[in-house]
Amino acid sequence: MKVSFSCSIIFFLFLIFNVHASNSSIDNFIQCLPTKSSPANPISKAIFTPNNPSFLPILQTYIRDSRFNTSSTPKPLAIITALDVSHVQATILCAKANNVEIRIRSGGHDFEGLSYVAQVPFVILDMFNLRSIDIDMASETAWIQAGATLGELYYKIASMSKTLAFPAGVCLTLGAGGHFSGGGYGVMLRQFGLSIDNIIDAQVVDANGRVLDRQAMGEDLFWAIRGGGGASFCVILSWKINLVRILDTVTVFNVPRTLEQGATDVVLQWQQVATILDKNLFIRVQPQVQFLQGGNKTVQVSFIGSYLGRCQTLVPLINKNFPILGLKTSDCLEMPWVKTHLFWNNLPQTTPIEVLLQRAPTPPHNFQKHKSDYVKTPIPRVGLEAIWKKMMEIETVLMQWNPYGGRMSEIPENATAFPHRSGNLFKMQYITQWQDGSEQSLIKNIQATRDLHDTFTPYVSSNPRETFLNYRDIDIGTNVNGNLSFAMDFFKDNVNRLLQVKAKVDPTNFFKYEQSIPILSSQQ
């Protein structure tokens, strides 16, 4: 009993010491901030602590997953909503001096909440105020700050040109900082590649508080932040992007087929042709469970496409190379590029384009779990039938199968840190969403997503089982004790160069989170 009592006293004193140390660190951190930032732009307006009435609203505004918006979710000790570059520098320098961990958030679309949740005392550096977009029409380039959303970028481009665009995602509230640094995936990738394939410069703040552009940071770091995730190495301030030229008309379509209408046969042919069709054509396969009368259910597969051209050209192209789809002129919608973002977000075409400027998703996201996979050889009929069966058991899952080919097959895997290039037929995203916030529902739905993921095992890439960094999935592992298995899934053979860059630019491992590139003991 004496031993037990003594241990309890020691543990209690340990807790008291750590709480005191934590409070002391955060107090010193807050006091440090004005001394390291520009007096011309007072940082006091950007500091929010839990005793500030705006603290919770600011924290919750950019939480996109209700799993991480509960009373029990760990909260930051402070949020710094940077209004000036010097505020970013001050946050880094003061956090480093006081041993305070930071999490960096731009848009908040982090499927595991790692950009705003931590299991250790931490602060959030929130970039949403740094959102300027400057377009140079003469050079057809633009500088976009990390906190700007894709919707804001698309709106700004469209306000200046009908024939310029940028290849990035269809989710309008994604922040450019995180979206681009993970690769930047969108429906124009078969023609123009990823966002990172069209980035020509960047501004970052490193672990020493220095503002660096491409020339100053060097090609190794510039390589790493394009697909390797900026939060492992630095804070992304802004990106310089090359805009791309397109026709003034884009054609979109959505052709749904249920299993009873031969969806499986259409998917089988889609796998054979989707990557070799015209580069201007992108056809997503989107399977989900459809509920029928009488309590029955089936799987409906939607074939959702975007073509950089007119319908009169698209229909014969599809009917020649993908005849089983049966695309008709009446299935087509022609529109300016900017309006395709209404289509991809299931908004009526009469919706004012100003909706692109909304920074919160509509409707807001519920509880969700995401996973991803890459497919290199067509999934046979028996595999598809097993997948449909498992989906109908789960009910709440939606899948998106996105074709590769075109430009993606032309860019070497080591050209950027993003390695998933040639050899892939398509990338899959698993999306499970539910509204019941109970622990039982959480466990049930996450396990169901994992079960479906297991069903795909025989049909997807292996050794490593490739996965997409921006479809954050904590299931694949963390960097505890220098573990690198998760990094192989994300980055394949690019891991070694990423480790070298990390050791060079951030040797003290200041920029870290559960799935950041670690510093290995052999590098120290």
Side-chain angles (χ1 to χ4, degrees), residues 84-308:
D84 181 71
V85 172
S86 72
H87 299 170
V88 177
Q89 295 173 286
T91 301
I92 292 171
L93 293 172
C94 294
K96 193 174 183 181
N98 292 283
N99 199 29
V100 173
E101 191 163 309
I102 70 170
R103 295 299 168 102
I104 308 159
R105 183 168 73 170
S106 51
H109 286 264
D110 184 329
F111 295 155
E112 296 289 357
L114 303 183
S115 62
Y116 52 86
V117 177
Q119 302 304 318
V120 297
F122 72 106
V123 299
I124 294 176
L125 173 58
D126 215 324
M127 303 293 287
F128 69 85
N129 284 317
L130 298 178
R131 54 204 267 199
S132 70
I133 301 169
D134 296 313
I135 297 177
D136 182 346
M137 290 298 293
S139 63
E140 298 184 358
T141 62
W143 277 100
I144 173 171
Q145 286 191 304
T149 65
L150 298 190
E152 291 171 334
L153 174 62
Y154 299 154
Y155 182 88
K156 185 69 175 285
I157 294 172
S159 70
M160 301 180 72
S161 172
K162 294 181 179 180
T163 56
L164 288 177
F166 188 71
V170 297
C171 184
L172 301 174
T173 54
L174 286 166
H179 181 63
F180 293 174
S181 69
Y185 192 99
V187 301
M188 293 196 293
L189 88 165
R190 300 191 65 249
Q191 174 67 298
F192 298 109
L194 304 173
S195 300
I196 54 173
D197 301 322
N198 299 277
I199 287 174
I200 55 176
D201 204 343
Q203 280 195 328
V204 307
V205 181
D206 72 0
N208 296 315
R210 298 177 300 174
V211 177
L212 308 172
D213 62 8
R214 178 175 181 173
Q215 182 177 4
M217 76 177 79
E219 288 303 304
D220 284 340
L221 181 54
F222 185 63
W223 173 89
I225 62 176
R226 289 176 297 144
S232 285
F233 308 99
C234 57
V235 175
I236 306 294
L237 291 175
S238 57
W239 303 99
K240 187 177 184 181
I241 60 177
N242 264 331
L243 304 181
V244 299
R245 280 216 163 265
I246 59 172
L247 299 176
D248 59 2
T249 299
V250 178
T251 300
V252 294
F253 59 87
N254 184 348
V255 180
R257 294 284 187 270
T258 64
L259 298 185
E260 293 74 18
Q261 295 168 332
T264 302
D265 291 329
V266 186
V267 172
L268 286 169
Q269 190 174 91
W270 173 84
Q271 292 183 100
Q272 299 291 338
V273 303
T275 61
I276 59 175
L277 291 170
D278 189 314
K279 288 182 182 181
N280 289 303
L281 178 59
F282 174 96
I283 305 176
R284 168 180 288 172
V285 164
Q286 187 163 295
Q288 64 187 115
V289 176
Q290 183 182 61
F291 295 93
L292 307 173
Q293 291 182 347
N296 296 321
K297 53 192 172 184
T298 187
V299 171
Q300 176 178 286
V301 183
S302 297
F303 297 85
I304 311 172
S306 176
Y307 177 65
L308 300 177

Side-chain angles (χ1 to χ4, degrees), residues 69-84:
N69 195 15
T70 69
S71 58
S72 61
T73 303
K75 305 295 189 296
L77 299 173
I79 305 172
I80 312 301
T81 61
L83 296 160
D84 181 71

